[in-house]
Amino acid sequence: MTWYFEDFQPGQVIDAGWCGMEADELDAFARRYDPQSFHIDPAAAANSIYGGIIASGWHTCGLMMRQMVDTVLGDSASMGSPGIDQIRWLAPVRAGDRLHVTAHTLDVRASQSKPDRGIVHWEWQAHNQDGVLVATITSKGMIGRRPTQEKI
């Protein structure tokens, strides 16, 4: 199914599926992009408020993005995003955790100046295997309108 602007409705919840936080990927991402001690140093992390190594929140956002691309955006009329309104990291994510990602459609608005598209305002949520909400991303996506067929 190709997703068009018309396929999104306020209140809609889209199940983007499950993904895992693998230990080697957690370490590689943190060392490259977010080398804070609680992400890369087991001894320092054990003595931190987290009690052990945790994933970078940016890595968690990347996993959420991948799930959305794999289940919705990759087969849609997506035109990108004008930006993120809010990111919240609500609970630590650790190696071995599994995350369930959902997209909650908050609002949809047809563009007044560009009739070929609309804006979908949504909140993406990631819950871990225990049902704990670990992260949210509130953002907008530009989605193309469904093409109309011309009459012959």
Side-chain angles (χ1 to χ4, degrees):
M1 167 185 166
T2 298
W3 293 81
Y4 292 99
F5 171 73
E6 293 81 5
D7 297 317
F8 298 94
Q9 304 299 322
Q12 174 183 35
V13 178
I14 300 167
D15 185 344
W18 290 86
C19 58
M21 180 61 74
E22 304 299 330
D24 58 337
E25 292 175 358
L26 183 158
D27 185 67
F29 184 97
R31 288 185 184 283
R32 181 157 187 192
Y33 298 109
D34 191 358
Q36 296 181 73
S37 62
F38 45 84
H39 296 319
I40 63 169
D41 181 338
N47 291 318
S48 75
I49 62 171
Y50 305 109
I53 295 283
I54 64 169
S56 168
W58 297 111
H59 190 174
T60 301
C61 288
L63 289 177
M64 294 169 74
M65 182 72 200
R66 180 58 192 245
Q67 288 304 116
M68 286 298 296
V69 169
D70 286 352
T71 59
V72 179
L73 298 172
D75 192 16
S76 75
S78 174
M79 297 176 172
S81 171
I84 293 174
D85 299 327
Q86 184 178 65
I87 296 173
R88 292 284 185 237
W89 298 306
L90 304 165
V93 174
R94 301 179 189 278
D97 279 355
R98 295 200 26 86
L99 303 180
H100 182 232
V101 178
T102 54
H104 301 252
T105 306
L106 304 174
D107 189 37
V108 296
R109 180 180 51 83
S111 174
Q112 298 300 311
S113 60
K114 298 185 173 143
D116 66 332
R117 68 193 73 171
I119 301 292
V120 176
H121 187 208
W122 44 28
E123 180 184 76
W124 299 352
Q125 298 181 358
H127 290 82
N128 69 16
Q129 66 279 355
D130 298 320
V132 174
L133 181 62
V134 299
T136 62
I137 301 171
T138 306
S139 66
K140 294 177 178 76
M142 293 183 297
I143 309 290
R145 309 248 355 216
R146 182 171 277 109
T148 58
Q149 294 183 357
E150 295 183 29
K151 295 182 179 177
I152 300 176

